[in-house]
Amino acid sequence: MSSVQIMADKLAEDTFTVMAKTGDDRFFMEVAKVIGASSTTLEEAYLTAVRVRMAERRARKFLDERLAGRAGEDTSGL
C-alpha cells in the first residue's frame, strides 16, 4: 500500500469515527473538500476509502437482514 493510500485510509477511518459521534453522515464530503484544496491525489484516494467502507457496511447490513429473513425488503434508501 502506498503512503497516499495509508494516509487516505487513516483519514477515512477517523472521518467515520466523527460521523458516528456527530450523526453527520455527509461529513466526509466536507473533509474531501478540504483535502481537495491541496491534493487531488489524496482526495481521490480518500473518497475511494470512504466508498469502500460505505459499500462494506451496506453489504454487512444486507447479510444481517438476510439472516433475519428481511433481505427481500427494499434497501435502496441505505
Side-chain angles (χ1 to χ4, degrees), residues 20-66:
K21 289 181 179 180
T22 64
D24 184 356
D25 63 348
R26 302 298 293 172
F27 179 67
F28 72 93
M29 294 301 295
E30 294 178 48
V31 176
K33 190 174 185 179
V34 170
I35 295 168
S38 300
S39 173
T40 56
T41 301
L42 181 57
E43 178 189 24
E44 290 172 13
Y46 166 77
L47 286 172
T48 297
V50 167
R51 285 190 296 269
V52 166
R53 281 175 173 74
M54 289 179 154
E56 189 263 348
R57 289 173 186 199
R58 284 186 193 113
R60 292 206 176 276
K61 182 177 179 182
F62 174 77
L63 292 172
D64 290 344
E65 289 171 351
R66 174 60 59 105

